[in-house]
Amino acid sequence: MTTPLQTRIVKHIKSSGPLPLAEYMHWCMADPKDGYYANQTAIGAKGDFITAPELSQMFGEMIGIWAVETWEMLDKPSRFNLVELGPGKGTLMQDLLRIGNAVPDFLKAAEVQMIETSEKLVDTQKQNLSEYENITWQTSLQDIPAQPTLVIANEFLDVLPIRQYIKAEDEWREHAISIDEKDNLVWTLGAGVLAAEILPENATTEPDGAVFEISTIREAFITNTCDLLRQNQGAALFIDYGHGKTAFGDTVQAMRAHGYTDILKEPGLADLTSHVDFDALAKIAKTSEMNVSPLAKQGEFLLAKGLIERAGQLGHNCSPEIQEQLTQQAERLALPDEMGDLFKVLEFGTILRVLENLIMWG
Ligand code: SAH
């Protein structure tokens, strides 16, 4: 099926030439009319993929424990920003604020700031968080008020566009999308060439066809977060799938109805994501004068925050079926061959105790 977005992309390619992957991803995901997040029921059992907060309330609750601990480390400011980037259905924030119920001063001080581009998801977030008053929707990190700040983001960085470069005869040429004689979308090499100094040292030994990925928009989000924290004090927690060491390889994938599909097929209908290079992002945070905790695996992070204890508490006096469900949820989130190892936790901020806190599982 030719999607409306495909028709527009083909027209664009005919007039302006091949479209770099990053621009293609941007159209597919963020186009306000025909893009994925404007139209699709992305997240959840009925959507295309399921995220950790949708799997279990315990995920957001453990982030809530991190938020309360970090607020305490900041000397319990009486007002602070609790910023979430790409909050999806608002489930993580709901679960996080539930933990806050046990710490009334935290809840009173928290000014929740949601940064979300999809109008459809903003509506869902407003519905799901209607019982809380102190929530504002913003379009950019630049609009966040000047006061101590916590930033959280789960599966946000992976949806941001990336550029891919392919090694071809000693040059790294930009991966782009063109059309064939039947107007099908096909891969091609674009005009852009990656400067050698951006590549890792061992790039010269990579064979032709090797792939290197960069995401300038991800890097910009990290830089802007660092600026915000440096100016106001605070800390950030980015959770996503990705690698701890910069590496070569094609990690872009398209997901639809819980299965993989072709990236170039039916643009706008599938969720396009890629693995996050946490190494590159941690370096940016360090250069931006942040204390950066050792990169942790999601499983380690959740266990350190009390996942097992929380599962036990929730299952107390419940039926064996409910207890079994809770065990399965905890396993899915934390076991190494489930989400536990692939998903990583990048934490940085102005407070040094953040670093000390993490050394035990870094
Ligand atoms: N954090 C949620 C949702 C993950 S899906 C969860 O874990 O379930 C990615 C989210 O990022 C969606 O809410 C999407 O609309 C949002 N998003 C994508 N690009 C964005 C951008 N540039 N700025 C803000 N939000 C964005």
Side-chain angles (χ1 to χ4, degrees):
M1 188 189 87
T2 305
T3 61
L5 192 60
Q6 188 168 347
T7 310
R8 289 169 55 201
I9 290 173
V10 167
K11 202 168 149 207
H12 181 89
I13 293 173
K14 280 183 178 163
S15 69
S16 308
L19 201 59
L21 172 63
E23 284 171 42
Y24 176 76
M25 289 177 88
H26 184 74
W27 281 50
C28 289
M29 300 304 288
D31 186 83
K33 184 162 157 276
D34 299 317
Y36 180 74
Y37 278 112
N39 297 302
Q40 305 303 315
T41 309
I43 313 159
K46 292 202 185 83
D48 294 312
F49 57 93
I50 191 140
T51 57
E54 302 301 326
L55 255 174
S56 169
Q57 69 178 76
M58 294 185 283
F59 182 79
E61 290 172 347
M62 295 305 108
I63 313 280
I65 288 175
W66 173 86
V68 172
E69 276 174 10
T70 313
W71 171 73
E72 285 171 352
M73 289 173 196
L74 289 162
D75 293 331
K76 305 185 182 177
S78 59
R79 297 174 88 85
F80 72 100
N81 302 311
L82 179 55
V83 180
E84 184 174 0
L85 297 168
K89 293 179 165 181
T91 312
L92 192 164
M93 189 55 77
Q94 256 180 312
D95 296 333
L96 187 163
L97 293 172
R98 182 174 320 110
I99 287 293
N101 282 335
V103 192
D105 286 348
F106 169 86
L107 212 53
K108 235 182 358 204
E111 295 186 357
V112 177
Q113 315 274 351
M114 307 285 255
I115 299 190
E116 172 60 66
T117 41
S118 158
E119 281 175 29
K120 192 173 161 187
L121 285 172
V122 168
D123 287 345
T124 311
Q125 290 158 18
K126 285 188 173 160
Q127 272 167 28
N128 288 342
L129 290 155
S130 56
E131 65 182 286
Y132 293 98
E133 280 167 13
N134 211 351
I135 305 192
T136 315
W137 275 262
Q138 307 282 10
T139 45
S140 133
L141 279 171
Q142 268 88 3
D143 301 329
I144 302 298
Q147 56 189 5
T149 297
L150 303 184
V151 178
I152 54 168
N154 182 62
E155 289 207 42
F156 166 69
L157 296 169
D158 68 87
V159 306
L160 300 175
I162 61 156
R163 294 188 178 277
Q164 273 189 342
Y165 292 88
I166 313 285
K167 191 168 186 190
E169 294 173 8
D170 291 337
E171 274 190 336
W172 290 81
R173 302 265 310 273
E174 182 152 22
H175 215 185
I177 288 108
S178 188
I179 45 175
D180 66 11
E181 64 285 353
K182 289 187 183 139
D183 283 355
N184 294 311
L185 298 176
V186 291
W187 289 107
T188 186
L189 291 182
V193 174
L194 187 63
E197 60 265 27
I198 294 176
L199 288 155
E201 275 169 18
N202 52 346
T204 45
T205 58
E206 287 295 308
D208 268 4
V211 179
F212 187 64
E213 298 178 340
I214 53 173
S215 174
T216 41
I217 175 156
R218 253 178 221 160
E219 293 178 1
F221 267 106
I222 297 296
T223 304
N224 292 341
T225 303
C226 294
D227 290 347
L228 186 67
L229 299 182
R230 210 176 38 250
Q231 285 153 17
N232 300 297
Q233 301 289 306
L237 196 68
F238 285 87
I239 305 180
D240 226 307
Y241 47 97
H243 35 275
K245 194 101 202 76
T246 298
F248 296 94
D250 172 7
T251 74
V252 182
Q253 61 191 36
M255 284 280 271
R256 197 166 168 203
H258 298 272
Y260 293 108
T261 172
D262 188 336
I263 295 159
L264 301 186
K265 217 175 99 189
E266 302 185 317
L269 298 188
D271 177 47
L272 302 185
T273 63
S274 66
H275 285 209
V276 175
D277 179 353
F278 280 106
D279 198 6
L281 301 184
K283 279 184 188 135
I284 290 173
K286 279 182 193 145
T287 318
S288 305
E289 300 165 39
M290 292 286 114
N291 294 307
V292 183
S293 305
L295 189 68
K297 294 173 181 157
Q298 174 170 300
E300 294 170 318
F301 175 85
L302 295 177
L303 293 180
K305 292 285 166 260
L307 178 70
I308 303 294
E309 293 77 1
R310 181 61 176 152
Q313 195 184 34
L314 286 169
H316 186 64
N317 285 340
C318 288
S319 65
E321 289 75 26
I322 300 280
Q323 288 172 351
E324 177 55 26
Q325 253 177 32
L326 288 161
T327 305
Q328 279 177 9
Q329 288 173 9
E331 286 178 353
R332 182 97 187 264
L333 291 174
L335 279 183
D337 55 354
E338 301 264 356
M339 298 173 83
D341 272 8
L342 176 61
F343 282 73
K344 312 286 191 303
V345 182
L346 172 65
E347 181 186 36
F348 56 84
T350 55
I351 37 180
L352 203 63
R353 282 176 59 202
V354 171
L355 185 65
E356 289 165 11
N357 193 32
L358 280 168
I359 276 172
M360 58 193 213
W361 38 271

